[in-house]
Amino acid sequence: MELPNDRPGSSALSRLSRGISARLTSTTLDIASAVGAFGVMLTGELFVSEASGEPLRAVPLLLIVAASASLVVLSRFPLVTGVVVAVCTPLYYMLGAVDSWTGWLAIIVGVLRLAAERHRMSAITATLMALAVFSAGEIIAFQLSRSLVVLSWLIAIFAAGEVARSRRAYLREAAQKAVEAERSRAEEARRHATEERLRVAREVHDVVAHNISLINVQAGAAVHRRDPEQAYAALEAIKQTSKETLSELRSTLGVLRQVDEDEAAPVSPGPSLAQLGELADRTRESGIAVEVTTEGMESELPSPIDVAAYRIVQEALTNIRRHAEGATSASVLVRRGADKLTVQIDDDGADVSASSIHEGNGLRGMRERASAVGGELSAGPRPEGGFRVRAVLPLGTDTAEP
Protein backbone atom coordinates (compact mmCIF):
# COMPACT_ATOMS: atom_id res chain seq x y z
CA MET A 1 0.00 0.00 0.00
CA GLU A 2 1.48 3.31 -1.06
CA LEU A 3 1.05 6.26 1.27
CA PRO A 4 1.25 9.95 0.38
CA ASN A 5 4.60 11.67 0.47
CA ASP A 6 4.99 13.13 3.95
CA ARG A 7 8.27 15.00 3.45
CA PRO A 8 8.04 18.57 4.80
CA GLY A 9 8.89 20.22 1.51
CA SER A 10 6.62 18.11 -0.65
CA SER A 11 3.39 19.98 0.14
CA ALA A 12 5.06 23.37 -0.34
CA LEU A 13 6.49 22.30 -3.70
CA SER A 14 3.12 20.89 -4.71
CA ARG A 15 1.36 24.15 -3.84
CA LEU A 16 4.02 26.14 -5.71
CA SER A 17 3.69 23.99 -8.82
CA ARG A 18 -0.10 24.23 -8.73
CA GLY A 19 0.19 28.02 -8.34
CA ILE A 20 2.55 28.32 -11.30
CA SER A 21 0.32 26.08 -13.40
CA ALA A 22 -2.78 28.12 -12.51
CA ARG A 23 -0.95 31.38 -13.26
CA LEU A 24 0.25 30.09 -16.65
CA THR A 25 -3.28 28.91 -17.48
CA SER A 26 -4.80 32.29 -16.54
CA THR A 27 -2.16 34.22 -18.51
CA THR A 28 -2.73 32.02 -21.56
CA LEU A 29 -6.47 32.63 -21.35
CA ASP A 30 -5.88 36.38 -20.96
CA ILE A 31 -3.75 36.52 -24.10
CA ALA A 32 -6.15 34.31 -26.06
CA SER A 33 -9.12 36.46 -24.98
CA ALA A 34 -7.32 39.66 -25.96
CA VAL A 35 -6.26 38.33 -29.36
CA GLY A 36 -9.73 36.91 -30.08
CA ALA A 37 -11.56 40.09 -29.05
CA PHE A 38 -9.17 42.28 -31.05
CA GLY A 39 -9.50 40.10 -34.16
CA VAL A 40 -13.31 40.01 -34.08
CA MET A 41 -13.74 43.72 -33.32
CA LEU A 42 -11.19 44.77 -35.97
CA THR A 43 -12.82 42.48 -38.55
CA GLY A 44 -16.20 44.00 -37.81
CA GLU A 45 -14.81 47.54 -38.14
CA LEU A 46 -13.08 46.71 -41.45
CA PHE A 47 -16.21 45.06 -42.84
CA VAL A 48 -18.45 48.04 -42.02
CA SER A 49 -15.88 50.54 -43.34
CA GLU A 50 -15.49 48.63 -46.58
CA ALA A 51 -19.25 48.30 -47.01
CA SER A 52 -19.80 52.03 -46.43
CA GLY A 53 -16.77 53.11 -48.43
CA GLU A 54 -15.44 55.19 -45.53
CA PRO A 55 -11.80 54.93 -44.40
CA LEU A 56 -10.88 53.60 -40.98
CA ARG A 57 -10.81 56.24 -38.31
CA ALA A 58 -8.04 56.48 -35.69
CA VAL A 59 -10.22 56.90 -32.58
CA PRO A 60 -12.26 53.67 -32.99
CA LEU A 61 -9.04 51.75 -33.72
CA LEU A 62 -7.39 53.16 -30.59
CA LEU A 63 -10.44 52.19 -28.53
CA ILE A 64 -10.32 48.63 -29.95
CA VAL A 65 -6.59 48.35 -29.16
CA ALA A 66 -7.01 49.75 -25.62
CA ALA A 67 -9.96 47.48 -24.74
CA SER A 68 -8.22 44.38 -26.13
CA ALA A 69 -4.90 45.23 -24.46
CA SER A 70 -6.59 45.55 -21.07
CA LEU A 71 -7.71 41.92 -21.34
CA VAL A 72 -4.05 40.81 -21.36
CA VAL A 73 -3.61 41.96 -17.72
CA LEU A 74 -7.00 40.74 -16.50
CA SER A 75 -5.62 38.16 -14.06
CA ARG A 76 -2.95 40.46 -12.60
CA PHE A 77 -4.83 43.76 -12.59
CA PRO A 78 -8.55 42.93 -12.76
CA LEU A 79 -9.72 46.41 -11.74
CA VAL A 80 -7.68 48.00 -14.54
CA THR A 81 -9.31 45.68 -17.05
CA GLY A 82 -12.77 46.40 -15.67
CA VAL A 83 -12.33 50.19 -15.85
CA VAL A 84 -10.77 50.21 -19.34
CA VAL A 85 -13.37 47.96 -21.00
CA ALA A 86 -16.17 49.88 -19.19
CA VAL A 87 -14.96 53.18 -20.69
CA CYS A 88 -13.83 51.99 -24.13
CA THR A 89 -16.92 49.90 -24.97
CA PRO A 90 -19.51 52.74 -24.70
CA LEU A 91 -17.20 55.18 -26.49
CA TYR A 92 -16.57 52.70 -29.31
CA TYR A 93 -20.32 51.95 -29.51
CA MET A 94 -21.01 55.68 -29.92
CA LEU A 95 -18.01 56.65 -32.09
CA GLY A 96 -17.28 53.52 -34.12
CA ALA A 97 -18.84 52.34 -37.34
CA VAL A 98 -20.06 49.00 -35.91
CA ASP A 99 -23.59 48.88 -34.50
CA SER A 100 -23.81 45.15 -33.64
CA TRP A 101 -22.73 42.67 -30.96
CA THR A 102 -19.07 42.80 -32.09
CA GLY A 103 -18.84 46.29 -30.64
CA TRP A 104 -19.68 44.85 -27.21
CA LEU A 105 -17.20 41.98 -27.36
CA ALA A 106 -14.50 43.54 -25.16
CA ILE A 107 -16.84 44.12 -22.20
CA ILE A 108 -18.59 40.76 -22.73
CA VAL A 109 -15.30 38.86 -22.54
CA GLY A 110 -14.00 41.09 -19.74
CA VAL A 111 -17.00 40.73 -17.41
CA LEU A 112 -17.35 36.98 -18.04
CA ARG A 113 -13.69 36.30 -17.30
CA LEU A 114 -13.57 38.64 -14.31
CA ALA A 115 -16.52 36.82 -12.76
CA ALA A 116 -15.12 33.39 -13.57
CA GLU A 117 -11.74 34.30 -12.05
CA ARG A 118 -13.43 35.36 -8.78
CA HIS A 119 -12.92 39.10 -9.41
CA ARG A 120 -16.58 39.81 -8.76
CA MET A 121 -16.12 43.40 -7.56
CA SER A 122 -14.18 44.27 -10.72
CA ALA A 123 -16.97 42.74 -12.83
CA ILE A 124 -19.58 44.78 -10.95
CA THR A 125 -17.43 47.90 -11.31
CA ALA A 126 -17.11 47.37 -15.05
CA THR A 127 -20.88 46.92 -15.46
CA LEU A 128 -21.77 49.99 -13.39
CA MET A 129 -19.14 52.20 -15.04
CA ALA A 130 -20.31 51.17 -18.51
CA LEU A 131 -23.87 51.99 -17.48
CA ALA A 132 -22.73 55.37 -16.18
CA VAL A 133 -20.86 56.25 -19.41
CA PHE A 134 -23.83 55.13 -21.55
CA SER A 135 -26.17 57.17 -19.34
CA ALA A 136 -24.02 60.27 -19.79
CA GLY A 137 -24.20 59.83 -23.54
CA GLU A 138 -27.97 59.32 -23.47
CA ILE A 139 -28.37 62.55 -21.53
CA ILE A 140 -26.77 64.39 -24.46
CA ALA A 141 -28.79 62.59 -27.17
CA PHE A 142 -31.54 60.41 -25.73
CA GLN A 143 -33.13 57.59 -27.72
CA LEU A 144 -35.52 55.25 -25.89
CA SER A 145 -34.91 52.23 -28.13
CA ARG A 146 -31.15 52.59 -27.90
CA SER A 147 -31.31 53.05 -24.11
CA LEU A 148 -33.37 49.87 -23.74
CA VAL A 149 -30.95 47.94 -25.95
CA VAL A 150 -27.96 49.17 -23.95
CA LEU A 151 -29.62 48.38 -20.63
CA SER A 152 -30.60 44.92 -21.86
CA TRP A 153 -27.06 44.21 -23.03
CA LEU A 154 -25.56 45.23 -19.69
CA ILE A 155 -28.06 43.17 -17.70
CA ALA A 156 -27.46 40.14 -19.92
CA ILE A 157 -23.67 40.51 -19.66
CA PHE A 158 -23.76 40.81 -15.87
CA ALA A 159 -26.14 37.85 -15.55
CA ALA A 160 -23.91 35.73 -17.78
CA GLY A 161 -20.94 36.71 -15.62
CA GLU A 162 -22.78 35.61 -12.48
CA VAL A 163 -23.63 32.28 -14.09
CA ALA A 164 -19.98 31.79 -15.07
CA ARG A 165 -18.87 32.69 -11.54
CA SER A 166 -21.33 30.26 -9.93
CA ARG A 167 -20.35 27.44 -12.25
CA ARG A 168 -16.64 28.04 -11.67
CA ALA A 169 -17.22 28.15 -7.90
CA TYR A 170 -19.16 24.87 -8.07
CA LEU A 171 -16.37 23.19 -10.03
CA ARG A 172 -13.75 24.46 -7.58
CA GLU A 173 -15.77 23.20 -4.64
CA ALA A 174 -16.23 19.81 -6.28
CA ALA A 175 -12.50 19.58 -6.96
CA GLN A 176 -11.72 20.58 -3.37
CA LYS A 177 -14.10 17.94 -2.04
CA ALA A 178 -12.42 15.34 -4.23
CA VAL A 179 -9.00 16.34 -2.87
CA GLU A 180 -10.30 16.23 0.72
CA ALA A 181 -11.87 12.83 0.10
CA GLU A 182 -8.60 11.49 -1.31
CA ARG A 183 -6.70 12.88 1.68
CA SER A 184 -9.20 11.33 4.08
CA ARG A 185 -8.88 7.95 2.33
CA ALA A 186 -5.08 8.14 2.59
CA GLU A 187 -5.25 9.05 6.28
CA GLU A 188 -7.76 6.26 6.94
CA ALA A 189 -5.53 3.76 5.13
CA ARG A 190 -2.52 4.93 7.18
CA ARG A 191 -4.52 4.61 10.41
CA HIS A 192 -5.71 1.11 9.52
CA ALA A 193 -2.16 0.06 8.64
CA THR A 194 -0.88 1.34 11.99
CA GLU A 195 -3.64 -0.41 13.90
CA GLU A 196 -2.97 -3.64 12.03
CA ARG A 197 0.75 -3.47 12.81
CA LEU A 198 -0.04 -2.96 16.51
CA ARG A 199 -2.53 -5.83 16.48
CA VAL A 200 -0.04 -8.22 14.87
CA ALA A 201 2.69 -7.09 17.28
CA ARG A 202 0.40 -7.82 20.24
CA GLU A 203 -0.57 -11.23 18.89
CA VAL A 204 3.03 -12.29 18.26
CA HIS A 205 4.15 -10.92 21.62
CA ASP A 206 1.39 -12.76 23.50
CA VAL A 207 2.06 -16.06 21.76
CA VAL A 208 5.84 -15.93 22.04
CA ALA A 209 6.11 -14.39 25.51
CA HIS A 210 3.69 -16.82 27.14
CA ASN A 211 4.95 -20.05 25.61
CA ILE A 212 8.67 -19.22 25.63
CA SER A 213 8.31 -18.30 29.30
CA LEU A 214 6.84 -21.74 29.94
CA ILE A 215 9.63 -23.40 28.00
CA ASN A 216 12.24 -21.44 29.96
CA VAL A 217 10.75 -22.49 33.31
CA GLN A 218 10.45 -26.13 32.26
CA ALA A 219 13.94 -26.22 30.82
CA GLY A 220 15.32 -24.81 34.07
CA ALA A 221 13.47 -27.48 36.02
CA ALA A 222 14.80 -30.20 33.74
CA VAL A 223 18.38 -29.00 34.26
CA HIS A 224 18.16 -28.98 38.08
CA ARG A 225 16.20 -32.18 38.59
CA ARG A 226 18.26 -35.25 39.29
CA ASP A 227 15.41 -37.67 38.70
CA PRO A 228 15.49 -38.79 35.03
CA GLU A 229 11.74 -39.43 35.04
CA GLN A 230 11.00 -35.86 36.16
CA ALA A 231 13.50 -34.50 33.63
CA TYR A 232 11.83 -36.49 30.84
CA ALA A 233 8.45 -35.15 31.92
CA ALA A 234 9.79 -31.60 31.77
CA LEU A 235 11.28 -32.23 28.33
CA GLU A 236 7.99 -33.68 27.15
CA ALA A 237 6.22 -30.54 28.39
CA ILE A 238 8.81 -28.42 26.54
CA LYS A 239 8.16 -30.39 23.38
CA GLN A 240 4.39 -29.92 23.66
CA THR A 241 4.65 -26.20 24.47
CA SER A 242 7.06 -25.52 21.62
CA LYS A 243 4.75 -27.39 19.25
CA GLU A 244 1.82 -25.24 20.35
CA THR A 245 3.96 -22.12 19.97
CA LEU A 246 4.92 -23.00 16.41
CA SER A 247 1.30 -23.84 15.60
CA GLU A 248 0.03 -20.48 16.89
CA LEU A 249 2.77 -18.56 15.10
CA ARG A 250 2.11 -20.46 11.89
CA SER A 251 -1.60 -19.68 12.18
CA THR A 252 -0.99 -15.97 12.88
CA LEU A 253 1.55 -15.49 10.10
CA GLY A 254 -0.51 -17.62 7.72
CA VAL A 255 -3.49 -15.30 8.05
CA LEU A 256 -1.22 -12.34 7.24
CA ARG A 257 -0.15 -14.01 4.01
CA GLN A 258 -3.70 -14.61 2.80
CA VAL A 259 -4.96 -12.32 0.04
CA ASP A 260 -8.30 -13.92 -0.91
CA GLU A 261 -11.34 -13.93 1.32
CA ASP A 262 -11.80 -17.67 0.94
CA GLU A 263 -8.22 -18.31 1.98
CA ALA A 264 -8.36 -15.78 4.79
CA ALA A 265 -10.72 -17.94 6.86
CA PRO A 266 -8.88 -19.16 9.98
CA VAL A 267 -7.66 -22.76 9.75
CA SER A 268 -7.80 -23.25 13.53
CA PRO A 269 -9.93 -21.89 16.38
CA GLY A 270 -8.78 -18.52 17.68
CA PRO A 271 -7.88 -17.93 21.33
CA SER A 272 -10.93 -17.97 23.60
CA LEU A 273 -11.86 -18.08 27.27
CA ALA A 274 -13.10 -21.60 26.52
CA GLN A 275 -9.39 -22.53 26.53
CA LEU A 276 -8.84 -21.01 29.98
CA GLY A 277 -8.48 -24.43 31.57
CA GLU A 278 -5.67 -25.41 29.19
CA LEU A 279 -3.95 -22.09 29.85
CA ALA A 280 -4.15 -22.68 33.62
CA ASP A 281 -2.81 -26.24 33.23
CA ARG A 282 0.24 -25.03 31.34
CA THR A 283 0.90 -22.43 34.03
CA ARG A 284 0.57 -25.06 36.77
CA GLU A 285 3.28 -27.09 35.03
CA SER A 286 5.67 -24.21 35.71
CA GLY A 287 5.05 -24.46 39.45
CA ILE A 288 2.35 -21.80 39.90
CA ALA A 289 -0.90 -23.05 41.40
CA VAL A 290 -3.70 -21.44 39.43
CA GLU A 291 -7.32 -21.26 40.58
CA VAL A 292 -9.88 -20.31 37.92
CA THR A 293 -13.34 -19.00 38.75
CA THR A 294 -15.96 -18.09 36.13
CA GLU A 295 -19.36 -16.53 36.75
CA GLY A 296 -22.24 -15.91 34.35
CA MET A 297 -20.51 -17.52 31.33
CA GLU A 298 -23.46 -19.57 30.13
CA SER A 299 -23.60 -17.93 26.69
CA GLU A 300 -20.95 -17.02 24.14
CA LEU A 301 -19.11 -13.71 24.29
CA PRO A 302 -18.58 -11.40 21.33
CA SER A 303 -15.42 -12.55 19.56
CA PRO A 304 -13.35 -9.34 20.10
CA ILE A 305 -14.18 -9.38 23.85
CA ASP A 306 -13.44 -13.10 24.10
CA VAL A 307 -10.03 -12.78 22.44
CA ALA A 308 -9.07 -9.67 24.42
CA ALA A 309 -10.02 -11.28 27.76
CA TYR A 310 -8.08 -14.47 26.96
CA ARG A 311 -4.98 -12.55 25.93
CA ILE A 312 -5.11 -10.39 29.08
CA VAL A 313 -5.26 -13.49 31.29
CA GLN A 314 -2.48 -15.12 29.26
CA GLU A 315 -0.19 -12.11 29.55
CA ALA A 316 -0.94 -11.64 33.27
CA LEU A 317 -0.02 -15.28 34.01
CA THR A 318 3.13 -14.90 31.92
CA ASN A 319 4.13 -11.83 33.93
CA ILE A 320 3.56 -13.76 37.18
CA ARG A 321 6.00 -16.46 36.10
CA ARG A 322 8.56 -13.98 34.85
CA HIS A 323 8.36 -11.09 37.29
CA ALA A 324 6.42 -12.02 40.46
CA GLU A 325 9.19 -12.81 42.93
CA GLY A 326 8.23 -15.60 45.30
CA ALA A 327 4.83 -16.18 43.75
CA THR A 328 3.46 -19.70 44.27
CA SER A 329 -0.22 -19.25 43.47
CA ALA A 330 -2.51 -17.15 41.34
CA SER A 331 -6.26 -16.73 40.98
CA VAL A 332 -8.20 -15.90 37.84
CA LEU A 333 -11.72 -14.51 38.09
CA VAL A 334 -13.89 -14.02 35.00
CA ARG A 335 -17.29 -12.52 35.77
CA ARG A 336 -19.89 -11.64 33.19
CA GLY A 337 -22.41 -8.97 34.16
CA ALA A 338 -25.35 -7.40 32.40
CA ASP A 339 -23.23 -5.03 30.34
CA LYS A 340 -19.60 -5.78 31.12
CA LEU A 341 -17.06 -8.55 31.51
CA THR A 342 -14.66 -8.30 34.45
CA VAL A 343 -11.33 -10.14 34.35
CA GLN A 344 -9.15 -10.15 37.47
CA ILE A 345 -5.83 -11.92 38.00
CA ASP A 346 -4.18 -11.91 41.47
CA ASP A 347 -0.91 -13.44 42.67
CA ASP A 348 0.79 -13.86 46.06
CA GLY A 349 4.22 -12.60 45.05
CA ALA A 350 6.44 -10.34 47.12
CA ASP A 351 5.17 -6.86 47.89
CA VAL A 352 6.14 -4.20 45.35
CA SER A 353 5.64 -0.45 45.48
CA ALA A 354 3.64 1.31 42.79
CA SER A 355 6.64 3.55 42.00
CA SER A 356 8.87 0.56 41.23
CA ILE A 357 6.55 -0.89 38.59
CA HIS A 358 7.98 -0.56 35.09
CA GLU A 359 5.33 -0.79 32.38
CA GLY A 360 6.87 -2.86 29.62
CA ASN A 361 5.39 -4.43 26.52
CA GLY A 362 3.27 -6.83 28.57
CA LEU A 363 1.30 -4.25 30.57
CA ARG A 364 1.19 -1.91 27.60
CA GLY A 365 -0.18 -4.68 25.38
CA MET A 366 -2.90 -5.53 27.93
CA ARG A 367 -3.95 -1.88 28.14
CA GLU A 368 -4.09 -1.63 24.35
CA ARG A 369 -6.22 -4.77 24.12
CA ALA A 370 -8.66 -3.45 26.70
CA SER A 371 -8.77 -0.02 25.07
CA ALA A 372 -9.32 -1.55 21.62
CA VAL A 373 -12.69 -2.95 22.72
CA GLY A 374 -13.65 0.16 24.71
CA GLY A 375 -12.60 -1.18 28.11
CA GLU A 376 -10.22 -0.20 30.88
CA LEU A 377 -7.37 -1.98 32.63
CA SER A 378 -5.66 -1.32 35.93
CA ALA A 379 -2.56 -3.01 37.30
CA GLY A 380 -0.80 -2.56 40.62
CA PRO A 381 0.03 -4.02 44.04
CA ARG A 382 -2.75 -5.39 46.27
CA PRO A 383 -3.26 -4.09 49.82
CA GLU A 384 -2.94 -7.64 51.17
CA GLY A 385 0.22 -8.29 49.17
CA GLY A 386 1.01 -9.52 45.68
CA PHE A 387 -0.09 -7.98 42.40
CA ARG A 388 -3.46 -7.52 40.69
CA VAL A 389 -4.47 -7.02 37.08
CA ARG A 390 -8.10 -6.02 36.55
CA ALA A 391 -9.83 -5.37 33.22
CA VAL A 392 -13.40 -4.24 32.66
CA LEU A 393 -14.62 -4.82 29.09
CA PRO A 394 -18.02 -3.49 27.94
CA LEU A 395 -20.35 -5.98 26.27
CA GLY A 396 -23.05 -3.73 24.83
CA THR A 397 -26.81 -4.17 25.02
CA ASP A 398 -26.94 -6.72 22.21
CA THR A 399 -24.66 -9.15 24.07
CA ALA A 400 -25.88 -8.59 27.59
CA GLU A 401 -27.43 -11.25 29.73
CA PRO A 402 -31.22 -10.97 30.04
Side-chain angles (χ1 to χ4, degrees):
M1 177 178 62
E2 296 184 1
L3 297 177
N5 192 341
D6 291 331
R7 291 178 296 177
S10 63
S11 59
L13 289 174
S14 178
R15 288 194 298 270
L16 178 61
S17 63
R18 286 197 299 269
I20 293 175
S21 176
R23 179 58 59 84
L24 289 175
T25 301
S26 298
T27 302
T28 303
L29 286 174
D30 292 343
I31 295 173
S33 299
V35 172
F38 177 77
V40 172
M41 293 176 73
L42 181 60
T43 301
E45 185 72 17
L46 289 173
F47 179 80
V48 172
S49 296
E50 183 178 351
S52 62
E54 297 180 0
L56 292 174
R57 290 177 293 170
V59 173
L61 288 178
L62 290 176
L63 292 172
I64 292 174
V65 171
S68 301
S70 69
L71 297 176
V72 177
V73 297
L74 184 145
S75 297
R76 290 180 176 271
F77 307 103
L79 187 58
V80 172
T81 301
V83 171
V84 173
V85 295
V87 172
C88 291
T89 299
L91 291 178
Y92 177 73
Y93 185 74
M94 290 184 287
L95 301 176
V98 176
D99 191 15
S100 66
W101 65 271
T102 57
W104 293 78
L105 191 57
I107 194 170
I108 293 174
V109 174
V111 171
L112 288 177
R113 292 225 51 239
L114 285 171
E117 294 293 333
R118 291 185 291 182
H119 302 304
R120 192 184 187 193
M121 291 308 300
S122 296
I124 294 174
T125 300
T127 305
L128 293 179
M129 283 194 65
L131 181 60
V133 175
F134 272 118
S135 299
E138 290 301 315
I139 291 174
I140 299 173
F142 176 75
Q143 289 185 9
L144 179 60
S145 60
R146 184 173 60 195
S147 299
L148 293 176
V149 169
V150 168
L151 184 61
S152 300
W153 267 106
L154 291 176
I155 292 174
I157 292 171
F158 182 74
E162 286 297 292
V163 171
R165 182 188 65 82
S166 299
R167 182 176 181 277
R168 189 72 174 269
Y170 170 78
L171 293 176
R172 278 193 298 267
E173 183 179 356
Q176 184 65 28
K177 287 182 178 179
V179 171
E180 291 296 331
E182 183 64 28
R183 185 182 294 113
S184 298
R185 284 194 294 269
E187 291 175 354
E188 185 72 9
R190 188 185 297 109
R191 185 179 65 82
H192 282 310
T194 301
E195 291 177 352
E196 186 64 15
R197 285 196 295 268
L198 291 175
R199 188 191 68 79
V200 172
R202 286 195 299 266
E203 287 292 331
V204 174
H205 173 271
D206 290 345
V207 171
V208 173
H210 174 75
N211 291 324
I212 295 300
S213 177
L214 278 176
I215 291 173
N216 180 63
V217 172
Q218 293 160 348
V223 169
H224 291 92
R225 286 171 179 168
R226 299 299 181 183
D227 187 349
E229 291 298 326
Q230 293 181 344
Y232 286 140
L235 291 174
E236 183 64 27
I238 291 174
K239 176 184 176 182
Q240 184 62 29
T241 303
S242 61
K243 180 180 179 181
E244 292 175 0
T245 303
L246 291 174
S247 177
E248 285 200 55
L249 280 176
R250 189 177 298 112
S251 177
T252 301
L253 298 177
V255 170
L256 295 178
R257 294 191 183 101
Q258 304 302 329
V259 293
D260 298 327
E261 290 186 2
D262 294 339
E263 296 178 349
V267 296
S268 61
S272 166
L273 288 177
Q275 304 167 9
L276 203 54
E278 300 173 11
L279 180 62
D281 290 339
R282 290 200 298 269
T283 305
R284 294 187 187 104
E285 292 174 359
S286 66
I288 304 294
V290 180
E291 179 183 355
V292 178
T293 303
T294 61
E295 299 176 4
M297 300 294 291
E298 290 79 10
S299 58
E300 292 185 0
L301 291 167
S303 179
I305 301 294
D306 198 9
V307 173
Y310 177 87
R311 290 303 191 192
I312 289 172
V313 174
Q314 182 185 50
E315 183 60 33
L317 293 178
T318 299
N319 285 346
I320 292 173
R321 291 194 306 272
R322 296 173 62 185
H323 305 299
E325 183 179 351
T328 59
S329 65
S331 63
V332 178
L333 171 65
V334 179
R335 179 187 295 119
R336 178 173 183 168
D339 58 356
K340 65 184 178 180
L341 179 74
T342 302
V343 179
Q344 183 173 302
I345 305 95
D346 296 329
D347 67 69
D348 62 350
D351 292 345
V352 293
S353 62
S355 59
S356 65
I357 298 174
H358 173 67
E359 185 166 311
N361 290 331
L363 283 176
R364 188 182 305 116
M366 286 190 287
R367 292 190 193 280
E368 289 175 353
R369 284 193 179 278
S371 177
V373 294
E376 297 179 350
L377 182 136
S378 60
R382 298 190 302 164
E384 62 271 28
F387 197 80
R388 169 173 292 170
V389 174
R390 179 182 173 86
V392 179
L393 311 178
L395 296 175
T397 55
D398 57 335
T399 59
E401 289 280 323

